[in-house]
Amino acid sequence: MKRNTIKLSTLLGENITSRSSLQILCNILKSNDVIDMSDIVFISRSVADELCYFEESYNIMFVGMSDFTRKMLSLVRKNRNKPRKRQEQDSKFVVCDDIETLLSVVSSI
Amino acid sequence: MSEVIIPNVTRDDRIGSVFNHLFRIIAESEKLEGKVLWNFQDVHFFHPFFVFPFSLYRYELSNKKNVECKGMNDVVQSYFSTIKFFDFMDLREIGDFNNVLKCYKEKSYTPICRFSLSDKNIERMQSIIKDVILQQIKLPINIESHLSYMLGEFVCNMEEHSQGKYGYIFSQYLKKEKSLYLCLADDGISIYSSYIFKEKHLDKIDEYESSALRLAKAGYSSKDRPEAENRGYGISTNSNLLVKGFGGAFFILSGGAFHREEAENNIFIELPKSIRWNGTIILMKIPLSEAKNVNLYKYMER
């Protein structure tokens, strides 16, 4: 079966940070397509998550990935369907009822 | 006519402490009817974490009242003009934007850039600004991916969640401190309003807007898929990267609450009902002296 190849950097440039920018890809993507990731320098975690969704939904294959994009996709893929482990941090909480209290709190913390 | 004396805000001892001055200016300005006169006679320099939100506040106030500025010396006037304090650097044509920003590569600060959150060229804009910042730093370190990650995740949040019209970016590199000060903002609904609007995690939010900040910080997204918690990493991973990775500081003000995180200080503050910030502001202090040892991947997973 011949797979159609889409070079992502031609569509979206070498830095892809916005999930919504992938709408352009979504409009032309078909099942079993190949996404050529060569010349992509950076993808955000949000973009990686969206690409994983395309991977699952359209059975697509990625080729030409840089070390960075491979690591980002791998990291997101690994955690995508797992429950989050959340660490509650120690933090203070202060309610300021008026401006005087606020100014006093901000200058002291 | 009553006037508001603008203080000379040169330091930000604990991240966001400049807001002590800005909240005071807001409180005094809001009391004035019709015309607001700001007196800059005492001003010689503004810390980047003050000048950025101050510029945004001036813009918002000028939509409601007549704001006049007086007493500005030539140096301050020139600085304000260069950073586009009064009129912002608007992203229109990418080509123009690229050419106009070229002259900032030899400076230590960018202009205050404004971009439409529905603009198709947001990716390219981020790339251009990132390149300018890297040129300004002039250090033999590679933080390109780290900077791309910070800008990318926060701008993505603005687009996805804020329902705002504009986003804003400003940065300044203070060489003496070897630290980059990066500021981002949107003019949309607050983080608290975003959860309410999406009807997500309402069981975890109480009447305090700071509860929403806490939720966002812990990684609860208003857009998780029903079967997985696959989103909400932007704020949590970036604040970890900044504070634990770089040893820097993180500040976020959204609607009626703000949060500050530094090495030994992690606090959420609920503002009085009389003060509210329309939208969200993020301030990041990024020390660069140990930047080459910061492993981005380590903080992306948390």
Side-chain angles (χ1 to χ4, degrees):
Chain A
M1 174 185 61
K2 190 171 187 284
R3 299 178 87 145
N4 183 39
T5 299
I6 300 169
K7 189 159 193 232
L8 198 57
S9 60
T10 307
L11 277 182
L12 296 172
E14 57 183 31
N15 283 288
I16 313 174
T17 55
S18 155
R19 193 189 287 267
S20 61
S21 65
L22 289 173
Q23 187 61 45
I24 299 173
L25 174 64
C26 189
N27 290 343
I28 61 172
L29 203 57
K30 292 185 172 54
S31 288
N32 303 311
D33 276 351
V34 173
I35 296 181
D36 182 354
M37 302 282 282
S38 52
D39 300 328
I40 299 288
V41 169
F42 180 86
I43 57 171
S44 69
R45 195 194 177 98
S46 315
V47 164
D49 181 67
E50 202 68 8
L51 288 173
C52 286
Y53 167 74
F54 290 152
E55 187 180 37
E56 289 166 12
S57 306
Y58 292 88
N59 189 35
I60 58 169
M61 191 164 71
F62 296 107
V63 298
M65 286 191 278
S66 67
D67 277 347
F68 180 85
T69 49
R70 184 176 297 108
K71 274 184 187 169
M72 182 67 96
L73 270 173
S74 168
L75 190 147
V76 170
R77 209 183 270 129
K78 188 177 73 174
N79 290 306
R80 204 166 135 71
N81 293 311
K82 276 195 213 163
R84 288 278 291 273
K85 280 185 191 159
R86 290 191 172 82
Q87 254 182 325
E88 275 299 322
Q89 291 180 316
D90 270 333
S91 58
K92 289 183 231 163
F93 168 59
V94 179
V95 176
C96 299
D97 291 321
D98 50 55
I99 184 75
E100 288 74 29
T101 308
L102 173 65
L103 295 178
S104 164
V105 165
V106 174
S107 59
S108 65
I109 50 171
Chain B
M1 181 195 345
S2 292
E3 58 184 34
V4 181
I5 305 292
I6 306 300
N8 193 37
V9 185
T10 59
R11 293 158 62 127
D12 182 57
D13 295 321
R14 291 170 297 271
I15 191 167
S17 60
V18 292
F19 274 87
N20 201 21
H21 302 284
L22 186 55
F23 288 143
R24 200 187 303 271
I25 292 169
I26 292 172
E28 289 180 29
S29 302
E30 296 298 318
K31 280 186 210 156
L32 300 176
E33 296 284 334
K35 194 165 189 175
V36 176
L37 183 59
W38 285 350
N39 191 333
F40 287 78
Q41 67 191 26
D42 296 334
V43 176
H44 302 284
F45 175 76
F46 278 152
H47 192 279
F49 281 169
F50 178 77
V51 77
F52 177 68
F54 188 34
S55 170
L56 300 184
Y57 175 62
R58 190 214 67 84
Y59 174 73
E60 192 196 305
L61 186 65
S62 64
N63 288 331
K64 300 185 294 196
K65 300 184 184 188
N66 182 4
V67 181
E68 252 184 56
C69 299
K70 77 171 201 181
M72 229 180 266
N73 67 42
D74 290 343
V75 171
V76 171
Q77 190 98 29
S78 172
Y79 174 64
F80 275 14
S81 171
T82 309
I83 66 166
K84 303 292 181 189
F85 177 87
F86 291 106
D87 49 358
F88 309 127
M89 173 76 76
D90 255 311
L91 171 62
R92 295 194 198 280
E93 296 276 330
I94 276 291
D96 283 343
F97 191 64
N98 198 10
N99 282 331
V100 168
L101 277 192
K102 270 184 189 162
C103 67
Y104 287 87
K105 286 182 179 178
E106 296 307 314
K107 297 188 189 303
S108 63
Y109 48 83
T110 66
I112 299 173
C113 301
R114 177 167 73 178
F115 53 95
S116 164
L117 290 174
S118 56
D119 199 304
K120 292 186 185 98
N121 288 317
I122 276 184
E123 304 282 345
R124 185 86 180 98
M125 177 272 300
Q126 285 178 69
S127 199
I128 291 169
I129 288 181
K130 178 200 66 180
D131 287 344
V132 169
I133 293 172
L134 290 172
Q135 293 251 351
Q136 290 176 341
I137 291 170
K138 290 185 175 55
L139 290 174
I141 50 171
N142 185 1
I143 58 161
E144 185 169 356
S145 295
H146 307 71
L147 206 47
S148 291
Y149 188 72
M150 287 177 193
L151 287 171
E153 292 296 333
F154 285 130
V155 171
C156 185
N157 279 352
M158 290 182 202
E159 289 180 276
E160 294 264 304
H161 301 291
S162 78
Q163 298 184 39
K165 192 174 176 193
Y166 291 115
Y168 301 83
I169 294 178
F170 174 65
S171 86
Q172 184 156 4
Y173 175 58
L174 295 183
K175 198 175 174 184
K176 264 189 200 170
E177 299 174 25
K178 260 197 178 172
S179 290
L180 177 66
Y181 291 84
L182 185 57
C183 313
L184 296 112
D186 66 61
D187 61 3
I189 62 177
S190 65
I191 291 175
Y192 181 80
S193 300
S194 174
Y195 284 115
I196 302 294
F197 184 79
K198 291 267 158 47
E199 295 181 357
K200 289 289 279 202
H201 306 298
L202 298 183
D203 56 320
K204 297 181 181 67
I205 292 177
D206 52 32
E207 75 269 30
Y208 295 118
E209 294 205 39
S210 46
S211 62
L213 287 190
R214 197 190 290 264
L215 216 56
K217 187 87 188 319
Y220 288 90
S221 173
S222 60
K223 284 197 170 186
D224 273 327
R225 286 179 292 136
E227 72 280 12
E229 297 170 320
N230 63 309
R231 298 203 190 196
Y233 285 90
I235 293 177
S236 55
T237 55
N238 265 307
S239 63
N240 271 337
L241 171 64
L242 188 53
V243 176
K244 293 178 182 152
F246 282 99
F250 177 78
F251 174 94
I252 181 168
L253 165 64
S254 186
F258 73 79
H259 165 61
R260 160 197 290 165
E261 186 181 359
E262 295 170 293
E264 303 299 326
N265 190 352
N266 189 348
I267 191 165
F268 292 85
I269 302 280
E270 188 76 16
L271 298 177
K273 298 293 176 216
S274 57
I275 291 196
R276 188 179 172 71
W277 190 268
N278 288 327
T280 299
I281 285 190
I282 288 173
L283 309 176
M284 292 178 277
K285 178 184 174 182
I286 312 171
L288 297 179
S289 43
E290 298 298 319
K292 64 182 178 197
N293 300 320
V294 179
N295 180 351
L296 173 61
Y297 307 109
K298 180 179 168 188
Y299 300 98
M300 277 178 0
E301 194 155 0
R302 307 275 169 87

